[in-house]
Amino acid sequence: QGSNITFYGKLDVAIENVRFSAASGKAASTASYLSNDISYWGLRGNEDLGDGTRAYFKLESGFSADTGTSSGGNQLFDREALVGYGATWGALQLGSQYAPSLFVQARSDPFGRNNNGNGITLTQQIPGNLRGFVGQLPLNNAVQYISPSLDGVVVRVLHSFSERAAAPKDLGEFSGGSIDYFKGGPLYVGLSYEVQKLAGATPTTVLSNKTAALGASYVFSQAKLFGYLMHNTLTNAAAVNAQLVGVSVPLGLSDVKASYSQRKLNGDDAGKANIIAIGYFYHLSKRTEVYTSWAHLHNGAGTNFGIWPSDKTYAPPVVAGGAGLPVLGQSINSLELGLRHFF
Amino acid sequence: QGSNITFYGKLDVAIENVRFSAASGKAASTASYLSNDISYWGLRGNEDLGDGTRAYFKLESGFSADTGTSSGGNQLFDREALVGYGATWGALQLGSQYAPSLFVQARSDPFGRNNNGNGITLTQQIPGNLRGFVGQLPLNNAVQYISPSLDGVVVRVLHSFSERAAAPKDLGEFSGGSIDYFKGGPLYVGLSYEVQKLAGATPTTVLSNKTAALGASYVFSQAKLFGYLMHNTLTNAAAVNAQLVGVSVPLGLSDVKASYSQRKLNGDDAGKANIIAIGYFYHLSKRTEVYTSWAHLHNGAGTNFGIWPSDKTYAPPVVAGGAGLPVLGQSINSLELGLRHFF
Amino acid sequence: QGSNITFYGKLDVAIENVRFSAASGKAASTASYLSNDISYWGLRGNEDLGDGTRAYFKLESGFSADTGTSSGGNQLFDREALVGYGATWGALQLGSQYAPSLFVQARSDPFGRNNNGNGITLTQQIPGNLRGFVGQLPLNNAVQYISPSLDGVVVRVLHSFSERAAAPKDLGEFSGGSIDYFKGGPLYVGLSYEVQKLAGATPTTVLSNKTAALGASYVFSQAKLFGYLMHNTLTNAAAVNAQLVGVSVPLGLSDVKASYSQRKLNGDDAGKANIIAIGYFYHLSKRTEVYTSWAHLHNGAGTNFGIWPSDKTYAPPVVAGGAGLPVLGQSINSLELGLRHFF
C-alpha cells in the first residue's frame, strides 16, 4: 500500500482583457480578469497483476487557480474518479468518466481544450447550452470498455446508469462510443456518437440528445492541420451543426496556433456564432510555457455565448460582477497573457 | 518537514442490481446502480520523538467513487482528522475521531464494514435512524485515550465536547469506551459502551442515547466465526436489540463469507428487520479483489431500512431518482459485482 | 511531471477553557472547547528553468483539525493558490494570494498568527469587523510582484482585479504593498499599506478601506522584542488605531511569550478592546511542540470581539452552541493546552 501513486497537476492562469461589443440596449464595455484556464490536481496509480493484467485508478480534481475554488464543489474529483482493470482484451473502468467524444474533440483542435480560441465553446455542452457533446463534466455511475489498439484502432464504449427504479427508467441515462485511428504516423481520425436522455416538459417525457462528431488531424512538414465536424439533434428541436478548422505551426521553442470554429442552429439565421483565434506559445521547458492568445467570438442575434476562460462570461447568466454579459448578439474580443505550469 | 507522509486510499465500486418487493401501495420494481462501497483517500504521518514517544496525525477523506463526490461535503476529512502523541503509557488523540464502538463492530462482522451483507445497516446510526452505535461519522471535538496492549487487552476512552456555554451544557456531548482482547491467537472479544446526548422535543430537554455492544470472532481450522450483540436505549423510548452471526471461509485465493443479522424494536412486532447475505471474494493481489455478493433485507411493516451500498436507498427519504424507495415493509434483494483496489 | 512536489502541513489542536464575564443582561458563563488553531495541508513545487529563472506553484488548504472541515468550503485552496515565475529581477505571481500586510504583522507578533494571544484578533479583518488589514483570506484574482532582496530590502506589490465590466468598475478591487527590511541581523522592520474598495449603502457607492501598518522586532541577548502599529480609515467613518507590544524569551527547549495589544475606534470610548496574553511552548522536536497559553480579552461597552482560536466565539454572530457570546462589553478569559505538529 502507498506505493506507485503519482501526483500530478496543472496551473494555468492568464491576465485577460475582454471587450464586449455594443448590442441592443447595451453599450460596449470592457473588463480585465485574472482568468483560470483548465487547472487541476490529481493522483493516479497502477498495479501490475501479472500476465498482462493490471488494476489502476485515477482521481482528478479541477480548481480555479485564480481563486483556489474547487470547480466541482462537493464533487471533489470532478475530472474523473475511476477504478479500472486491464488485460490483453482491453480495459474495463468503473466510476465517473469523461465521454469518449471528449478525446476526439481534444485531438482535433489545435488549442486542445484550452485558451480563448478553443472549439469547445461552440461544440461542448455548457450551462445554458445543452446542444453539443458531453464534455464539461464526466458521466457519473459509468462503466466503460476501452479496447486495445488493433492496428491503430481503439474503440471506447461507455454507459452511464440512470439508477432509477421508477419510470421513466432511462431518464438521465447516457450511452456513447468512439473509434480512434492513430498508428504513430501523421494521421489521426476519430469518430464519436452519443445519446443522452434528458428531462422533457412533463415528468414522463424523455428527450434524446444525440451528438455525432468526426475529427481529424494531419502532420505536414511545416504545420499540423486540424478539422472537426459536429452534428447534434434533440427531440422536437432543430439540429445544431458545428465545424472547426485549425493549424499549429512549430517555430523553434514556440508554437503558433490558429483556428476558426462556427456553430449554427438549423433554420435560424439568428442562431449562428463563430470564433476566430490566434495564439503564440513559448515553451520555457517541457512543463512550463508562457502564451498570448487573441480571439473574437461573434454572437448572432439569437445567441449569447460567453468566451472561455473568462469565468464571468463563459456561463451566462453571469454573476453580478460580470453585469449580465454577454447579452444576445453581443460579440466579444478576448486577449490573454498567461502562464501554464504542469507538475 | 515533508518527510514520513504516507498517502493511502481505497476505491470500491460495484455494479448493483436491486429488486424492491411489492408493498402496500407500491408495486415491485428494480433498478441498476453503479454503487460506491466505502472509498477514501488519506494521508498520515509519524514522527519518532525518542524514548518511545512519538507524534502522529491522520487526515482521511471519504468519497463516492461512482461520482467523485466528497462524502462529507465541506467536512473534507470526514473519516478522522486527528493529531496524536504516543508514549509507553498509551496514546492521546485530539480531533475528529471514530467512536471506539466502531472497531468492535468491524472486527465482529465477516463483511467488515463493506458490501450489502454487512451488519452496520442494522446496528449503526444512519440518517433517519438514530438507534445504533455512532459509526457513520467520526465524533468532532474529541479527545481519546488509547492504552497500550496489556496482555492482549486494549482500552479506549473517548470524550467529545458539547462546546456549549449555555444550558443544557451537555447537549451534543458524547462519551464512549471499549475494551478489546486480542493476543494474536484465534480469539477476539470486544466490548463497547457509549452515551450520546441528543436534543429532545423542547430546547432544554436532553435525551440519552446509550449503546452497549459485545462482539467476538474465533478462527477455527476451516473457517472464522463471528458474532455481535447490540443493545440500545433512548430516554422515553423502547429499547432496540440487534444480533449478527457470520462466517468466513478461505478457499485458496478466495474467501466465501455469509452472515445473518437482525434488529428489533422492543414491543413492536412491526419494528423488525433482518439481512441474510453471502459473498464471494477473489484476491487478484494483496491490494486488489473482485467480488460478488448477494443480500436480502427484510423490512418489517414498520421499518424501511435501505441496503448498503445503494446510495439511492441507503438513507431514505431518497432523492427523486430512487423514487422514494424503500417504503415501510418493502424488502430488498441486492446483487453486487464489484472491484476493490487499495493504494 | 510529478517531480519536485512537496507535501506539507500542520495540525494544531488545543483543549480550551473559556470564561465569559458578566455583561448587561448576561450572566457570566464558561465553556470547554476542542479548538483548532491554524491547521492546513498543501503542496508546492519548483522547476529550475536555468539562468536563474524558475517556475513554481503553491496550493494550500486550511482545515479545522477538530472537525476535519475544510475552512474555505468550496474554496479548497483557501490559503493561497498561485503559480509564479521567478528571475533575477524578482518574481511575478498569479492567483489567490495573501496581502503583503499579512507578513509584516506575522513577523511583528511573538505569537505569529497563532494562539489566543495573537494580535490579529484586533488588527485583522474578521467577519463582522471590516476594519483591519486583509489577512483572514487571500485576495482572489491577484497579480503580485516580489522584488529580490536588495541589501536586505524586499518590496511586494499586489493588485487584485475587480473583474467588473459595469460601473462602479473598482468595486471589490484591492491594491497593497509592503517594504520589509531584514538583513540577517537582529533587526526586522516592515511597512505595509493597502486600499480595498468596499460596497457602500447604494449600488454605485464605493468605500475606500485603507490600512497602514508598521511592524518591527529586535533580538536582544536574552529576549526578542516585538512591536506593531496599525492605522485604518474608512470613507465617512472614524479611524481605527491598534498597537501591539510583545516579547519572546527562549529557555532551553522552551519559549515564553507575552504580548499586549489594543484597538480603539477614534472618538468612541466604548469602542476599545485589548488583549493581554502569556504562553509557554515546549519543543518536543523541530516539528512538534506542546504549549499552554492564557489570554484575557477586554471588550469595551461597544465591542464584542471573540477570542481566537475558539471557533464558537471568534466570529459573532455565533452558532447556537455558543449561545450568542460574546455580547457587547463581555470580556473573555481563555486557557489553552495544545499540541502542534508540522509535517
Side-chain angles (χ1 to χ4, degrees), chain B residues 49-104:
Chain B
L49 297 170
D51 292 328
T53 65
R54 63 190 180 107
Y56 60 97
F57 74 94
K58 177 187 175 189
L59 296 171
E60 194 171 298
S61 178
F63 68 96
S64 293
D66 52 347
T67 63
T69 304
S70 200
S71 57
N74 283 345
Q75 189 178 13
L76 181 63
F77 299 115
D78 61 333
R79 293 176 57 85
E80 299 202 317
L82 59 87
V83 58
Y85 178 80
T88 53
W89 47 258
L92 199 65
Q93 297 184 164
L94 306 175
S96 179
Q97 307 172 58
Y98 284 123
S101 53
L102 179 146
F103 304 98
V104 174

Short mmCIF file of all heavy atoms in Angstrom, two decimals, chain B residues 49-104:
data_model
loop_
_atom_site.label_atom_id
_atom_site.label_comp_id
_atom_site.label_asym_id
_atom_site.label_seq_id
_atom_site.Cartn_x
_atom_site.Cartn_y
_atom_site.Cartn_z
N LEU B 49 9.89 10.70 18.44
CA LEU B 49 10.40 11.75 19.32
C LEU B 49 11.40 11.21 20.34
O LEU B 49 11.83 11.94 21.23
CB LEU B 49 9.25 12.45 20.04
CG LEU B 49 8.25 13.18 19.14
CD1 LEU B 49 7.04 13.63 19.94
CD2 LEU B 49 8.92 14.39 18.48
N GLY B 50 11.77 9.91 20.20
CA GLY B 50 12.75 9.34 21.11
C GLY B 50 12.13 8.81 22.40
O GLY B 50 11.01 9.18 22.77
N ASP B 51 12.84 7.89 23.06
CA ASP B 51 12.38 7.33 24.34
C ASP B 51 10.98 6.73 24.25
O ASP B 51 10.19 6.84 25.21
CB ASP B 51 12.38 8.40 25.45
CG ASP B 51 13.79 8.84 25.79
OD1 ASP B 51 14.72 7.99 25.70
OD2 ASP B 51 13.98 10.02 26.14
N GLY B 52 10.66 6.15 23.09
CA GLY B 52 9.37 5.50 22.96
C GLY B 52 8.19 6.46 22.79
O GLY B 52 7.04 6.04 22.83
N THR B 53 8.50 7.73 22.59
CA THR B 53 7.41 8.69 22.36
C THR B 53 7.34 9.05 20.87
O THR B 53 8.31 8.92 20.14
CB THR B 53 7.60 9.99 23.17
OG1 THR B 53 8.77 10.65 22.69
CG2 THR B 53 7.76 9.68 24.65
N ARG B 54 6.18 9.49 20.43
CA ARG B 54 6.01 9.84 19.02
C ARG B 54 4.84 10.80 18.87
O ARG B 54 3.93 10.84 19.70
CB ARG B 54 5.73 8.59 18.19
CG ARG B 54 4.45 7.91 18.56
CD ARG B 54 4.30 6.54 17.91
NE ARG B 54 3.04 5.93 18.31
CZ ARG B 54 1.97 5.80 17.52
NH1 ARG B 54 2.04 6.22 16.26
NH2 ARG B 54 0.85 5.27 17.96
N ALA B 55 4.89 11.58 17.81
CA ALA B 55 3.75 12.40 17.40
C ALA B 55 3.26 11.82 16.09
O ALA B 55 4.05 11.28 15.31
CB ALA B 55 4.16 13.85 17.21
N TYR B 56 1.97 11.88 15.84
CA TYR B 56 1.45 11.35 14.59
C TYR B 56 0.18 12.07 14.21
O TYR B 56 -0.40 12.81 15.03
CB TYR B 56 1.21 9.84 14.71
CG TYR B 56 0.24 9.42 15.78
CD1 TYR B 56 -1.10 9.15 15.47
CD2 TYR B 56 0.64 9.28 17.10
CE1 TYR B 56 -2.00 8.78 16.44
CE2 TYR B 56 -0.25 8.90 18.09
CZ TYR B 56 -1.56 8.65 17.76
OH TYR B 56 -2.45 8.28 18.73
N PHE B 57 -0.25 11.89 12.97
CA PHE B 57 -1.50 12.50 12.53
C PHE B 57 -2.15 11.62 11.49
O PHE B 57 -1.51 10.76 10.88
CB PHE B 57 -1.26 13.91 11.97
CG PHE B 57 -0.64 13.91 10.60
CD1 PHE B 57 -1.42 13.98 9.45
CD2 PHE B 57 0.73 13.82 10.45
CE1 PHE B 57 -0.85 13.97 8.18
CE2 PHE B 57 1.32 13.80 9.19
CZ PHE B 57 0.52 13.89 8.06
N LYS B 58 -3.43 11.86 11.28
CA LYS B 58 -4.19 11.16 10.25
C LYS B 58 -5.23 12.14 9.69
O LYS B 58 -5.92 12.81 10.45
CB LYS B 58 -4.90 9.95 10.85
CG LYS B 58 -5.79 9.20 9.87
CD LYS B 58 -6.59 8.11 10.57
CE LYS B 58 -7.56 7.44 9.63
NZ LYS B 58 -8.49 6.53 10.33
N LEU B 59 -5.30 12.21 8.37
CA LEU B 59 -6.32 13.01 7.69
C LEU B 59 -6.92 12.12 6.61
O LEU B 59 -6.25 11.79 5.63
CB LEU B 59 -5.70 14.26 7.05
CG LEU B 59 -5.07 15.27 8.01
CD1 LEU B 59 -4.31 16.35 7.23
CD2 LEU B 59 -6.15 15.92 8.87
N GLU B 60 -8.18 11.73 6.78
CA GLU B 60 -8.77 10.79 5.83
C GLU B 60 -10.09 11.33 5.31
O GLU B 60 -10.93 11.82 6.05
CB GLU B 60 -8.97 9.42 6.51
CG GLU B 60 -9.27 8.32 5.53
CD GLU B 60 -9.24 6.94 6.20
OE1 GLU B 60 -8.16 6.55 6.71
OE2 GLU B 60 -10.29 6.27 6.21
N SER B 61 -10.26 11.20 3.99
CA SER B 61 -11.38 11.83 3.29
C SER B 61 -12.15 10.78 2.49
O SER B 61 -11.59 10.13 1.62
CB SER B 61 -10.81 12.90 2.35
OG SER B 61 -11.82 13.52 1.60
N GLY B 62 -13.41 10.61 2.79
CA GLY B 62 -14.24 9.68 2.05
C GLY B 62 -14.79 10.30 0.78
O GLY B 62 -14.99 11.51 0.71
N PHE B 63 -15.00 9.48 -0.22
CA PHE B 63 -15.63 9.98 -1.45
C PHE B 63 -16.40 8.85 -2.11
O PHE B 63 -16.20 7.68 -1.80
CB PHE B 63 -14.58 10.56 -2.41
CG PHE B 63 -13.65 9.54 -2.98
CD1 PHE B 63 -13.89 8.97 -4.23
CD2 PHE B 63 -12.53 9.13 -2.28
CE1 PHE B 63 -13.03 8.02 -4.76
CE2 PHE B 63 -11.67 8.18 -2.80
CZ PHE B 63 -11.93 7.62 -4.04
N SER B 64 -17.30 9.23 -3.00
CA SER B 64 -18.05 8.26 -3.77
C SER B 64 -17.33 8.04 -5.08
O SER B 64 -17.25 8.95 -5.91
CB SER B 64 -19.47 8.78 -4.02
OG SER B 64 -20.19 8.84 -2.82
N ALA B 65 -16.81 6.84 -5.28
CA ALA B 65 -16.03 6.58 -6.48
C ALA B 65 -16.91 6.50 -7.73
O ALA B 65 -16.41 6.53 -8.84
CB ALA B 65 -15.22 5.30 -6.33
N ASP B 66 -18.23 6.42 -7.56
CA ASP B 66 -19.11 6.39 -8.72
C ASP B 66 -19.41 7.78 -9.26
O ASP B 66 -19.89 7.93 -10.38
CB ASP B 66 -20.42 5.66 -8.40
CG ASP B 66 -21.10 6.19 -7.15
OD1 ASP B 66 -20.47 6.95 -6.40
OD2 ASP B 66 -22.27 5.85 -6.92
N THR B 67 -19.14 8.81 -8.46
CA THR B 67 -19.42 10.18 -8.89
C THR B 67 -18.26 11.14 -8.63
O THR B 67 -18.27 12.27 -9.13
CB THR B 67 -20.65 10.76 -8.15
OG1 THR B 67 -20.34 10.80 -6.76
CG2 THR B 67 -21.88 9.90 -8.36
N GLY B 68 -17.29 10.73 -7.81
CA GLY B 68 -16.21 11.63 -7.44
C GLY B 68 -16.58 12.62 -6.35
O GLY B 68 -15.80 13.51 -6.03
N THR B 69 -17.77 12.47 -5.77
CA THR B 69 -18.24 13.42 -4.76
C THR B 69 -17.61 13.14 -3.40
O THR B 69 -17.51 11.99 -2.97
CB THR B 69 -19.77 13.32 -4.64
OG1 THR B 69 -20.33 13.55 -5.93
CG2 THR B 69 -20.30 14.35 -3.66
N SER B 70 -17.21 14.20 -2.74
CA SER B 70 -16.66 14.10 -1.38
C SER B 70 -17.81 13.74 -0.45
O SER B 70 -18.80 14.45 -0.37
CB SER B 70 -16.07 15.47 -1.02
OG SER B 70 -15.17 15.35 0.02
N SER B 71 -17.67 12.64 0.29
CA SER B 71 -18.83 12.17 1.05
C SER B 71 -19.18 13.07 2.21
O SER B 71 -20.31 13.09 2.67
CB SER B 71 -18.61 10.73 1.54
OG SER B 71 -17.45 10.65 2.32
N GLY B 72 -18.23 13.85 2.68
CA GLY B 72 -18.51 14.72 3.82
C GLY B 72 -18.81 16.15 3.43
O GLY B 72 -18.97 17.00 4.29
N GLY B 73 -18.92 16.44 2.14
CA GLY B 73 -19.13 17.81 1.71
C GLY B 73 -17.99 18.68 2.19
O GLY B 73 -16.83 18.34 2.01
N ASN B 74 -18.29 19.79 2.84
CA ASN B 74 -17.25 20.68 3.34
C ASN B 74 -16.40 20.05 4.43
O ASN B 74 -15.30 20.51 4.71
CB ASN B 74 -17.86 21.98 3.87
CG ASN B 74 -18.25 22.89 2.73
OD1 ASN B 74 -17.85 22.71 1.58
ND2 ASN B 74 -19.07 23.88 3.05
N GLN B 75 -16.94 19.00 5.06
CA GLN B 75 -16.13 18.28 6.04
C GLN B 75 -15.19 17.35 5.27
O GLN B 75 -15.41 16.13 5.19
CB GLN B 75 -17.00 17.50 7.03
CG GLN B 75 -16.19 16.93 8.19
CD GLN B 75 -17.05 16.19 9.21
OE1 GLN B 75 -18.21 15.89 8.95
NE2 GLN B 75 -16.48 15.88 10.36
N LEU B 76 -14.16 17.95 4.68
CA LEU B 76 -13.30 17.22 3.75
C LEU B 76 -12.74 15.95 4.38
O LEU B 76 -12.76 14.88 3.79
CB LEU B 76 -12.16 18.12 3.28
CG LEU B 76 -11.19 17.51 2.28
CD1 LEU B 76 -11.90 17.14 0.99
CD2 LEU B 76 -10.04 18.45 1.98
N PHE B 77 -12.22 16.07 5.60
CA PHE B 77 -11.63 14.91 6.27
C PHE B 77 -12.69 14.30 7.19
O PHE B 77 -12.64 14.42 8.41
CB PHE B 77 -10.36 15.30 7.01
CG PHE B 77 -9.31 15.85 6.08
CD1 PHE B 77 -8.88 17.16 6.17
CD2 PHE B 77 -8.76 15.05 5.10
CE1 PHE B 77 -7.93 17.67 5.30
CE2 PHE B 77 -7.80 15.54 4.21
CZ PHE B 77 -7.39 16.86 4.32
N ASP B 78 -13.67 13.67 6.56
CA ASP B 78 -14.84 13.15 7.28
C ASP B 78 -14.61 11.73 7.80
O ASP B 78 -15.53 11.13 8.36
CB ASP B 78 -16.08 13.18 6.38
CG ASP B 78 -15.91 12.31 5.15
OD1 ASP B 78 -14.75 12.09 4.72
OD2 ASP B 78 -16.92 11.83 4.61
N ARG B 79 -13.43 11.20 7.58
CA ARG B 79 -13.08 9.89 8.12
C ARG B 79 -11.86 10.04 9.02
O ARG B 79 -10.83 9.42 8.78
CB ARG B 79 -12.79 8.91 6.98
CG ARG B 79 -14.01 8.56 6.14
CD ARG B 79 -13.62 7.65 4.98
NE ARG B 79 -12.98 6.45 5.43
CZ ARG B 79 -13.61 5.35 5.83
NH1 ARG B 79 -14.92 5.29 5.77
NH2 ARG B 79 -12.94 4.29 6.24
N GLU B 80 -11.98 10.85 10.01
CA GLU B 80 -10.96 11.18 11.00
C GLU B 80 -9.97 12.25 10.54
O GLU B 80 -9.47 12.23 9.43
CB GLU B 80 -10.19 9.94 11.51
CG GLU B 80 -11.10 8.93 12.17
CD GLU B 80 -10.40 7.98 13.13
OE1 GLU B 80 -9.29 7.51 12.78
OE2 GLU B 80 -10.94 7.74 14.21
N ALA B 81 -9.79 13.20 11.41
CA ALA B 81 -8.76 14.23 11.29
C ALA B 81 -8.23 14.38 12.71
O ALA B 81 -8.94 14.87 13.58
CB ALA B 81 -9.36 15.54 10.81
N LEU B 82 -7.01 13.93 12.94
CA LEU B 82 -6.54 13.92 14.32
C LEU B 82 -5.03 14.05 14.39
O LEU B 82 -4.30 13.72 13.47
CB LEU B 82 -6.99 12.63 15.03
CG LEU B 82 -6.55 11.28 14.45
CD1 LEU B 82 -5.18 10.87 15.00
CD2 LEU B 82 -7.57 10.22 14.81
N VAL B 83 -4.58 14.58 15.53
CA VAL B 83 -3.17 14.63 15.84
C VAL B 83 -2.99 13.90 17.17
O VAL B 83 -3.85 14.00 18.05
CB VAL B 83 -2.64 16.09 15.88
CG1 VAL B 83 -3.38 16.93 16.90
CG2 VAL B 83 -1.14 16.13 16.13
N GLY B 84 -1.92 13.11 17.27
CA GLY B 84 -1.77 12.29 18.46
C GLY B 84 -0.37 12.34 19.03
O GLY B 84 0.60 12.68 18.33
N TYR B 85 -0.28 12.00 20.31
CA TYR B 85 1.00 11.88 20.99
C TYR B 85 1.02 10.52 21.67
O TYR B 85 0.09 10.19 22.42
CB TYR B 85 1.17 13.00 22.01
CG TYR B 85 2.45 12.91 22.79
CD1 TYR B 85 3.64 13.37 22.24
CD2 TYR B 85 2.48 12.35 24.06
CE1 TYR B 85 4.83 13.28 22.95
CE2 TYR B 85 3.67 12.26 24.77
CZ TYR B 85 4.85 12.73 24.22
OH TYR B 85 6.03 12.64 24.90
N GLY B 86 2.04 9.72 21.38
CA GLY B 86 2.11 8.38 21.95
C GLY B 86 3.32 8.22 22.85
O GLY B 86 4.37 8.81 22.61
N ALA B 87 3.16 7.42 23.88
CA ALA B 87 4.26 7.11 24.80
C ALA B 87 4.05 5.70 25.34
O ALA B 87 3.14 4.99 24.90
CB ALA B 87 4.30 8.13 25.93
N THR B 88 4.88 5.29 26.28
CA THR B 88 4.73 3.93 26.81
C THR B 88 3.41 3.77 27.56
O THR B 88 2.88 2.67 27.67
CB THR B 88 5.89 3.59 27.76
OG1 THR B 88 5.98 4.64 28.74
CG2 THR B 88 7.21 3.51 26.98
N TRP B 89 2.86 4.84 28.07
CA TRP B 89 1.58 4.78 28.79
C TRP B 89 0.37 4.77 27.87
O TRP B 89 -0.78 4.78 28.32
CB TRP B 89 1.47 5.93 29.79
CG TRP B 89 1.84 7.28 29.25
CD1 TRP B 89 3.02 7.94 29.45
CD2 TRP B 89 1.07 8.13 28.38
NE1 TRP B 89 3.04 9.14 28.78
CE2 TRP B 89 1.86 9.28 28.12
CE3 TRP B 89 -0.19 8.04 27.80
CZ2 TRP B 89 1.41 10.32 27.30
CZ3 TRP B 89 -0.64 9.07 26.97
CH2 TRP B 89 0.16 10.19 26.73
N GLY B 90 0.61 4.78 26.54
CA GLY B 90 -0.51 4.78 25.60
C GLY B 90 -0.47 5.98 24.68
O GLY B 90 0.62 6.53 24.44
N ALA B 91 -1.60 6.37 24.17
CA ALA B 91 -1.64 7.49 23.22
C ALA B 91 -2.83 8.38 23.52
O ALA B 91 -3.87 7.92 24.00
CB ALA B 91 -1.73 6.97 21.80
N LEU B 92 -2.63 9.66 23.22
CA LEU B 92 -3.68 10.65 23.40
C LEU B 92 -3.92 11.29 22.05
O LEU B 92 -2.98 11.76 21.40
CB LEU B 92 -3.21 11.70 24.42
CG LEU B 92 -4.28 12.54 25.09
CD1 LEU B 92 -5.19 11.67 25.95
CD2 LEU B 92 -3.61 13.60 25.96
N GLN B 93 -5.18 11.31 21.61
CA GLN B 93 -5.52 11.84 20.29
C GLN B 93 -6.51 12.98 20.41
O GLN B 93 -7.49 12.89 21.15
CB GLN B 93 -6.13 10.73 19.42
CG GLN B 93 -5.21 9.58 19.14
CD GLN B 93 -5.79 8.52 18.20
OE1 GLN B 93 -5.05 7.71 17.68
NE2 GLN B 93 -7.11 8.50 18.02
N LEU B 94 -6.26 14.04 19.63
CA LEU B 94 -7.15 15.20 19.60
C LEU B 94 -7.68 15.38 18.19
O LEU B 94 -6.92 15.34 17.24
CB LEU B 94 -6.39 16.47 20.00
CG LEU B 94 -5.63 16.48 21.32
CD1 LEU B 94 -4.85 17.79 21.46
CD2 LEU B 94 -6.59 16.31 22.49
N GLY B 95 -8.99 15.59 18.05
CA GLY B 95 -9.55 15.87 16.73
C GLY B 95 -10.89 15.22 16.51
O GLY B 95 -11.68 15.02 17.44
N SER B 96 -11.14 14.89 15.26
CA SER B 96 -12.39 14.26 14.84
C SER B 96 -12.11 12.76 14.70
O SER B 96 -11.31 12.36 13.86
CB SER B 96 -12.81 14.88 13.50
OG SER B 96 -13.99 14.31 13.02
N GLN B 97 -12.77 11.94 15.52
CA GLN B 97 -12.36 10.54 15.65
C GLN B 97 -13.56 9.60 15.70
O GLN B 97 -14.60 9.93 16.25
CB GLN B 97 -11.56 10.36 16.94
CG GLN B 97 -10.40 11.33 17.07
CD GLN B 97 -9.74 11.28 18.42
OE1 GLN B 97 -9.27 10.24 18.84
NE2 GLN B 97 -9.70 12.40 19.12
N TYR B 98 -13.37 8.40 15.20
CA TYR B 98 -14.42 7.40 15.27
C TYR B 98 -14.65 6.96 16.71
O TYR B 98 -13.72 6.92 17.53
CB TYR B 98 -14.06 6.17 14.43
CG TYR B 98 -14.24 6.40 12.96
CD1 TYR B 98 -13.17 6.23 12.06
CD2 TYR B 98 -15.46 6.79 12.43
CE1 TYR B 98 -13.34 6.46 10.70
CE2 TYR B 98 -15.63 7.02 11.07
CZ TYR B 98 -14.57 6.86 10.22
OH TYR B 98 -14.73 7.08 8.87
N ALA B 99 -15.89 6.60 16.98
CA ALA B 99 -16.22 6.05 18.30
C ALA B 99 -15.49 4.72 18.49
O ALA B 99 -15.32 3.95 17.53
CB ALA B 99 -17.72 5.85 18.40
N PRO B 100 -15.08 4.42 19.71
CA PRO B 100 -14.43 3.12 19.98
C PRO B 100 -15.30 1.94 19.54
O PRO B 100 -14.79 0.90 19.11
CB PRO B 100 -14.24 3.14 21.50
CG PRO B 100 -14.09 4.59 21.85
CD PRO B 100 -15.02 5.31 20.90
N SER B 101 -16.62 2.10 19.62
CA SER B 101 -17.54 1.02 19.27
C SER B 101 -17.40 0.57 17.82
O SER B 101 -17.70 -0.59 17.49
CB SER B 101 -18.98 1.47 19.53
OG SER B 101 -19.23 2.70 18.87
N LEU B 102 -16.96 1.47 16.94
CA LEU B 102 -16.84 1.12 15.53
C LEU B 102 -15.90 -0.06 15.33
O LEU B 102 -16.16 -0.96 14.53
CB LEU B 102 -16.34 2.34 14.74
CG LEU B 102 -16.13 2.15 13.23
CD1 LEU B 102 -16.48 3.43 12.49
CD2 LEU B 102 -14.68 1.77 12.91
N PHE B 103 -14.78 -0.03 16.06
CA PHE B 103 -13.77 -1.06 15.82
C PHE B 103 -14.23 -2.43 16.34
O PHE B 103 -13.88 -3.46 15.79
CB PHE B 103 -12.44 -0.63 16.45
CG PHE B 103 -11.98 0.70 15.94
CD1 PHE B 103 -12.20 1.87 16.67
CD2 PHE B 103 -11.38 0.82 14.69
CE1 PHE B 103 -11.81 3.11 16.18
CE2 PHE B 103 -10.99 2.05 14.19
CZ PHE B 103 -11.20 3.21 14.94
N VAL B 104 -15.03 -2.42 17.42
CA VAL B 104 -15.59 -3.67 17.92
C VAL B 104 -16.52 -4.28 16.86
O VAL B 104 -16.44 -5.48 16.55
CB VAL B 104 -16.35 -3.44 19.25
CG1 VAL B 104 -17.06 -4.72 19.69
CG2 VAL B 104 -15.40 -2.96 20.33
#
